[in-house]
Amino acid sequence: MVTEVLERLRDAQNRHDLDAFVACFDPQYRSEQPVHPDRAFVGRQQVHTNWAEVFAGVPDFQAELLRSAEQTDTWWAEWHWQGTRTDGTRLDMRGVTIFGIRDDRIVWGRLYLEDVEGGQGIDQAVQHMARGTEGTDLLDEAAGGLS
């Protein structure tokens, strides 16, 4: 039954059916984005507001549910969201949601979705992780400003 909730969610997203999408959430839904703590909110009305803007701003929005796993009443889902914004730029996001599902509705969520980035290989990512922005500046200096 819980997998059906994720599939209903995905199908509503792909149809841009805002009412069906919002119906997947409990009225007191609690949303967190641990990497972006200021984005937390409570309530299905905010889900409606957020996704009305997404559907309007990305008219060809599509969601792909890549994988999901369950433990008791907690579901992990890996997503790929994509489309073209009305300004012509691409939306390309990947990540994971962790949902608490009860009575056929999502009651809480922790979202870990980010824009897909290109242009930074593993070496640069590790250097940034180890040294931060300051470390990458030092590397540029050591390379004579060639990077």
Side-chain angles (χ1 to χ4, degrees):
M1 183 167 87
V2 175
T3 302
E4 292 173 9
V5 174
L6 296 175
E7 290 172 351
R8 275 197 340 263
L9 185 73
R10 178 207 54 215
D11 293 347
Q13 285 175 307
N14 290 337
R15 289 190 316 270
H16 299 203
D17 186 338
L18 186 57
D19 292 334
F21 179 78
V22 172
C24 294
F25 295 86
D26 185 81
Q28 294 303 311
Y29 169 71
R30 290 175 290 111
S31 178
E32 297 178 17
Q33 293 185 36
V35 178
H36 306 283
D38 292 340
R39 298 179 187 177
F41 66 89
V42 175
R44 184 164 54 188
Q45 182 56 44
Q46 188 65 51
V47 173
H48 184 280
T49 300
N50 296 349
W51 282 89
E53 186 162 345
V54 171
F55 291 151
V58 188
D60 63 345
F61 178 91
Q62 289 294 293
E64 184 179 2
L65 179 59
L66 301 171
R67 291 171 190 82
S68 63
E70 176 253 343
Q71 181 179 4
T72 316
D73 62 348
T74 303
W75 278 82
W76 284 258
E78 181 183 359
W79 298 95
H80 184 198
W81 294 347
Q82 56 187 333
T84 305
R85 297 178 183 99
T86 55
D87 69 1
T89 60
R90 292 287 301 153
L91 168 76
D92 190 9
M93 297 180 77
R94 289 182 181 255
V96 173
T97 56
I98 304 170
F99 289 137
I101 299 177
R102 186 175 55 243
D103 298 329
D104 210 27
R105 289 202 174 129
I106 301 167
V107 295
W108 60 264
R110 294 174 63 86
L111 287 69
Y112 300 90
L113 289 133
E114 297 290 334
D115 291 323
V116 174
E117 295 180 350
Q120 183 182 36
I122 189 62
D123 292 338
Q124 292 84 10
V126 170
Q127 289 170 1
H128 174 74
M129 186 174 159
R131 298 182 183 100
T133 305
E134 195 173 299
T136 56
D137 292 342
L138 293 174
L139 291 172
D140 284 345
E141 282 180 29
L146 298 175
S147 54

